Amino acid sequence: MCGIFGYVNYYVQRSRSEIVDTVLNGLARLEYRGYDSAGLAIDGDKPDEVLLFKEVGKVAALRKLYASSKINNDRLFDSHVAIAHTRWATHGRPSPINAHPHRSDPNNEFVIVHNGIITNYLALKALLTSKGFVFESDTDTECIAKLCKYVYDLNKDSARPLDFTALAKLVLRELQGSYGLLIKSVHYPDEIIATRKGSPLLIGIKTEQKLKVDFVDVEFPELPDITVANNIPTITTPESAGLSNLTVPHLMTSNLLMPMDGSDLRRSQSRAFISEEGTPMNAEFFLASDPASIIEHTKKVLYLEDDDIAHIYDGELHIHRVRREAGEPAIRSIQTLEMELNEIMKGSFDHFMQKEIFEQPESIINTMRGRIDFEKKTVTLGGLSSYLGTIRRCRRIIMIACGTSYHSCMATRAIFEELTEIPTTVELASDFLDRRSPVFRDDTCIFVSQSGETADSMLALQYCAERGALTVGIVNSVGSSISRQTNCGVHINAGPEIGVASTKAYTSQYVALVMMALLLSDDSISKYERRTSIIDGLSKISSQVEEVLKLNDTIRGIAETDLAQQKSLLLLGRGYQHATALEGALKIKEISYMHSEGVLAGELKHGVLALVDATMPIIFLATHDSLFPKVMSAVEQVIARSGNPIILCNKGESALSKLGKTYRTLEIPQTVDCLQGLLNVIPLQLMSYWLAVKKGYDVDFPRNLAKAVTVE
Ligand code: UD1
Ligand code: M6R
């Protein structure tokens, strides 16, 4: 998905090449999110000159384009603002013109980078075109840059000049949709605006001197605000460009002029950034959509809230809001990132995905760390402690997620129901929203997401919150939208997951959900034995994962010699292993582009059996649980049709001996039934990995896919 990176140096002298290196390296750290073009904007050598570099393909291609530009790389800047972007095409194909930054006009007076979607862009574009603006791209984003100039020009001859914050406020209230946005302008040299609505944005802060306080005051207007004073008139444009139900702001000139009594023009000092001498300190700011690109520069970060307008100038960071709601906090804290640089490096591995698969013995431990007391058989989840009563009393639990995260819900639903005795359903976020499924105040809705930014899950979260349900997040990315907008939740603490294919997040989500079920049932005596056996199982699971990882070479062999030439693969399991079959199939199709299907083994005879012959590759998940005999009968049906399945079974499984010799096995250690999926999924992750490597595909960046899917 799109990525934003901006860099501001204030009285920290940097050469142009250092500045460009910083932003390009920042973009490179965002590459894992998936993108198809990239671009950057920096100051030129002439006054009021801003240069744009945009290229299709990888950040390396942009670097090459920049290198070929013959620009003076040694030029020094005491203060400077650079913005950069990786784009994942939504409106308009990947091309240099459609890549960000977008500009207001051929002189690049305003340049912007944007994540998200402006839903009323067609109306804005029509309006701005009628005012003489000439659009050059197919994007929704370009209208923001042009709107900035339009508002600036309207106000430029007024008695009081418009400052950058006031301009941003006037522009933002015309935008509908979602955005993470950086704005740079020749009219406000060495200043930047950063703002967000529904799309993440954080600011890293680096100063030589210690910050005076570890927060930034939020600045609210003192007088009745322009937005409150002039309610934006709206018109409906049913026919405009086929947008049947769209309401668009009416860009009335009066709305875009700063009122003469506006208090926003007064500049204040930001307490955190004043040195002992009372003057602003030298500072660097790193603005990004993802902490992974900031961590190598600084660990001090401030996460913007929706509708915050951050304005950086004179070495200070100011946060503005258009109005103050009752009870709204008046500060934003400057936090310390817990992430380490090596967590986002590949180390000795060839790919992030491989590293993340092999990290699982540790990431699972990190999910449980400080939360399970294996001696006392107790579970503590700090994030849920104030809500346990509400959850235990709820009418039903709805788990909502997408993709792999959805599979972790499927994998744990049965143990949730068994332990909590609360009816539990599992929903794909998009389908749940499509159906406008009924949600009530006494429902508990659990949102499971690695990134915490998935648009479908976020929209479902808003839908459930509006209906008064308790919302709980199971999220990996601390500070992400889902983590912040849920009532409570559990961070899975798996560490950054960079590979687009989710692996360690799946096993950690699985463990977190099992822990939640254990916690919710810890008041039930009748569940004591079952709970104890699961906790004992969890105590051994990390070393069992290590054991499964030893199958790496065998699995590589199977992938390379038996499966890589195949067109299709079936994975069959039932009960707890149905989720494993679905997750294995998703991994395989996602990175090796091979058609694979996870099938409930009980459904085999209802259609899928027609596909089975001596050539169809089939993997059975036949580890030991109460459904094992039924899975075995499916295995027999396949063998009876000349199938040659690969059977994932527990070590020394004697029941297989009656099957003859037309199968192969992968032997997995045994654990408690509801945890077995944690072990069984690992050979499938490895298989997808080796299939993709064998086929020469880009394992960490599969085609057409993004790490965080922030569009519907
Ligand atoms: C927290 C700290 C952890 C510290 C521990 C010590 C954070 C992020 N975690 O962990 O560093 O070691 O206390 O006691 O500071 N939340 C949501 N939605 C979500 C996920 C979490 O609202 O999707 C909330 C939780 O309800 C909680 C907070 O975020 O209020 C932190 O959650 P979590 O990290 O899981 O809590 P702890 O394990 O207690
Ligand atoms: O960040 P999320 O967990 O919300 O993402 C959900 C899916 O987009 C994600 O799991 C996707 O299916 C993975 N690429 C699968 O490996």
Side-chain angles (χ1 to χ4, degrees):
M1 192 49 45
C2 304
I4 286 180
F5 191 83
Y7 172 58
V8 180
N9 52 311
Y10 175 75
Y11 282 101
V12 176
Q13 199 178 62
R14 293 279 176 255
S15 69
R16 184 178 274 137
S17 69
E18 286 172 320
I19 290 170
V20 170
D21 264 354
T22 302
V23 293
L24 288 177
N25 292 343
L27 287 188
R29 293 264 182 243
L30 300 175
E31 285 191 302
Y32 76 94
R33 295 167 68 97
Y35 68 104
D36 43 46
S37 50
L40 66 93
I42 49 170
D43 287 346
D45 289 327
K46 296 183 211 133
D48 288 354
E49 187 183 35
V50 166
L51 305 173
L52 295 179
F53 298 87
K54 310 204 274 184
E55 186 58 296
V56 173
K58 298 277 178 191
V59 173
L62 178 63
R63 210 181 274 275
K64 219 165 145 192
L65 175 80
Y66 174 80
S68 67
S69 70
K70 309 268 184 303
I71 191 168
N72 173 8
N73 255 321
D74 301 328
R75 159 119 195 228
L76 294 173
F77 293 88
D78 288 332
S79 303
H80 183 275
V81 167
I83 61 174
H85 190 261
T86 47
R87 171 176 187 255
W88 199 61
T90 53
H91 296 76
R93 64 189 177 83
S95 70
I97 282 288
N98 286 335
H100 300 215
H102 284 285
R103 59 182 182 176
S104 54
D105 63 299
N107 294 327
N108 304 341
E109 285 180 41
F110 287 87
V111 290
I112 65 156
V113 292
H114 166 225
N115 282 358
I117 290 183
I118 302 303
T119 48
N120 62 335
Y121 83 101
L122 282 175
L124 289 170
K125 189 170 174 177
L127 231 132
L128 290 161
T129 305
S130 75
K131 305 283 179 198
F133 284 88
V134 180
F135 280 76
E136 50 192 6
S137 77
D138 308 316
T139 65
D140 53 329
T141 301
E142 193 183 350
C143 68
I144 309 175
K146 301 226 161 8
L147 188 56
C148 288
K149 177 167 162 56
Y150 179 57
V151 173
Y152 179 83
D153 287 348
L154 276 179
N155 286 275
K156 71 179 174 200
D157 296 325
S158 76
R160 292 228 301 262
L162 200 58
D163 83 354
F164 212 175
T165 302
L167 177 115
K169 285 184 180 178
L170 290 169
V171 167
L172 292 177
R173 63 185 193 157
E174 301 301 330
L175 301 183
Q176 291 173 2
S178 64
Y179 48 80
L181 183 66
L182 301 185
I183 316 178
K184 166 180 168 70
S185 171
V186 296
H187 301 298
Y188 306 98
D190 306 331
E191 299 186 21
I192 191 168
I193 291 286
T195 179
R196 64 161 277 176
K197 190 191 204 96
S199 189
L201 204 55
L202 72 159
I203 302 176
I205 299 162
K206 188 172 173 186
T207 51
E208 263 174 34
Q209 285 171 272
K210 206 168 169 291
L211 294 175
K212 272 235 151 143
V213 289
D214 57 0
F215 59 83
V216 173
D217 296 294
V218 180
E219 299 173 42
F220 300 96
E222 281 165 14
L223 292 175
D225 185 73
I226 43 174
T227 352
V228 180
N230 310 334
N231 259 334
I232 308 170
T234 57
I235 53 164
T236 311
T237 57
E239 281 86 38
S240 70
L243 301 172
S244 48
N245 297 315
L246 193 64
T247 303
V248 299
H250 185 189
L251 283 175
M252 283 181 21
T253 305
S254 62
N255 282 328
L256 299 174
L257 289 172
M258 193 63 193
M260 291 306 290
D261 58 353
S263 61
D264 297 85
L265 306 181
R266 189 178 44 79
R267 285 196 165 186
S268 57
Q269 284 197 313
S270 186
R271 281 192 273 171
F273 298 91
I274 304 299
S275 66
E276 292 301 329
E277 302 79 51
T279 51
M281 38 174 118
N282 306 350
E284 289 169 282
F285 298 91
F286 305 85
L287 304 100
S289 48
D290 186 320
S293 58
I294 290 185
I295 187 73
E296 66 199 87
H297 302 289
T298 176
K299 289 193 163 190
K300 295 264 167 248
V301 297
L302 182 147
Y303 285 91
L304 292 182
E305 299 285 344
D306 272 354
D307 298 314
D308 280 353
I309 302 171
H311 183 181
I312 297 175
Y313 59 86
D314 295 349
E316 294 182 16
L317 164 60
H318 296 258
I319 309 278
H320 296 267
R321 288 185 74 81
V322 169
R323 66 172 74 90
R324 184 163 198 174
E325 310 287 349
E328 201 178 317
I331 56 162
R332 296 282 173 269
S333 41
I334 297 170
Q335 306 174 13
T336 305
L337 281 178
E338 286 185 10
M339 198 185 283
E340 295 297 332
L341 186 58
N342 63 13
E343 293 185 58
I344 55 166
M345 311 276 279
K346 278 200 284 254
S348 56
F349 290 94
D350 293 331
H351 299 97
F352 281 111
M353 181 187 180
Q354 187 187 28
K355 170 179 176 250
E356 286 154 10
I357 291 173
F358 279 88
E359 262 173 15
Q360 288 176 106
E362 201 186 324
S363 52
I364 286 176
I365 293 276
N366 287 338
T367 306
M368 298 189 285
R369 194 182 301 283
R371 290 166 163 170
I372 301 190
D373 185 328
F374 292 107
E375 296 291 307
K376 297 193 182 129
K377 319 285 180 211
T378 55
V379 175
T380 314
L381 295 172
L384 299 185
S385 51
S386 316
Y387 292 85
L388 282 179
T390 316
I391 303 174
R392 284 188 181 126
R393 282 192 304 274
C394 76
R395 186 163 78 151
R396 62 175 173 163
I397 291 172
I398 314 176
M399 297 172 164
I400 304 170
C402 308
T404 287
S405 299
Y406 169 78
H407 295 152
S408 74
C409 300
M410 284 196 62
T412 52
R413 174 193 177 179
I415 194 64
F416 241 87
E417 283 193 323
E418 182 189 331
L419 290 180
T420 65
E421 294 182 1
I422 301 170
T424 304
T425 58
V426 177
E427 296 277 0
L428 281 166
S430 54
D431 185 53
F432 177 75
L433 282 168
D434 289 347
R435 293 188 344 257
R436 312 296 294 168
S437 190
V439 172
F440 305 99
R441 292 180 66 80
D442 47 4
D443 287 335
T444 292
C445 301
I446 305 180
F447 297 86
V448 182
S449 174
Q450 188 287 129
S451 63
E453 301 295 348
T454 303
D456 290 324
S457 304
M458 266 305 292
L459 290 169
L461 163 57
Q462 281 153 8
Y463 176 89
C464 296
E466 279 161 17
R467 282 154 183 79
L470 180 76
T471 60
V472 182
I474 305 286
V475 168
N476 196 28
S477 296
V478 178
S480 62
S481 302
I482 294 180
S483 156
R484 289 141 69 88
Q485 291 184 28
T486 37
N487 294 118
C488 61
V490 182
H491 290 118
I492 63 171
N493 299 339
E497 188 182 68
I498 309 279
V500 165
S502 189
T503 51
K504 64 173 180 172
Y506 176 76
T507 44
S508 283
Q509 288 165 343
Y510 191 139
V511 168
L513 286 164
V514 171
M515 285 195 300
M516 185 172 168
L518 288 166
L519 175 63
L520 289 173
S521 58
D522 71 358
D523 56 349
S524 162
I525 296 172
S526 63
K527 301 284 186 288
Y528 180 79
E529 266 180 42
R530 177 71 160 143
R531 291 181 68 259
T532 304
S533 74
I534 297 170
I535 292 174
D536 288 344
L538 285 170
S539 72
K540 300 189 194 92
I541 206 80
S542 167
S543 53
Q544 289 180 313
V545 170
E546 256 169 42
E547 218 179 313
V548 180
L549 287 168
K550 292 187 188 140
L551 292 171
N552 185 40
D553 290 340
T554 314
I555 292 168
R556 181 179 185 171
I558 294 176
E560 289 180 351
T561 49
D562 299 333
L563 297 179
Q565 328 314 329
Q566 302 286 352
K567 286 215 157 37
S568 194
L569 175 67
L570 293 181
L571 295 106
L572 287 106
R574 66 190 292 169
Y576 285 111
Q577 300 316 316
H578 181 209
T580 314
L582 294 177
E583 174 56 10
L586 177 63
K587 284 292 89 86
I588 289 166
K589 66 185 99 159
E590 187 178 16
I591 60 161
S592 74
Y593 314 154
M594 173 171 167
H595 170 252
S596 52
E597 206 179 319
V599 179
L600 188 82
E603 280 289 289
L604 182 65
K605 54 192 171 303
H606 298 293
V608 181
L609 201 51
L611 290 172
V612 175
D613 60 16
T615 60
M616 172 58 108
I618 297 180
I619 297 178
F620 268 102
L621 297 157
T623 40
H624 224 98
D625 60 21
S626 61
L627 297 173
F628 178 72
K630 293 186 173 174
V631 180
M632 283 309 291
S633 108
V635 174
E636 283 171 36
Q637 287 176 46
V638 164
I639 290 181
R641 273 130 194 114
S642 315
N644 305 298
I646 297 168
I647 305 177
L648 236 97
C649 58
N650 288 130
K651 282 197 165 156
E653 180 55 73
S654 54
L656 297 180
S657 52
K658 63 177 179 188
L659 294 176
K661 290 264 174 280
T662 59
Y663 65 91
R664 274 158 306 163
T665 57
L666 281 171
E667 294 195 343
I668 310 290
Q670 184 160 10
T671 177
V672 190
D673 54 3
C674 65
L675 303 179
Q676 189 69 51
L678 287 167
L679 304 179
N680 291 6
V681 78
I682 286 165
L684 306 179
Q685 295 172 342
L686 287 168
M687 200 171 278
S688 67
Y689 174 77
W690 287 118
L691 277 172
V693 171
K694 172 73 180 166
K695 293 175 174 199
Y697 296 144
D698 196 344
V699 174
D700 287 328
F701 306 108
R703 68 183 180 204
N704 309 335
L705 295 180
K707 182 66 183 162
V709 185
T710 52
V711 287
E712 262 185 277

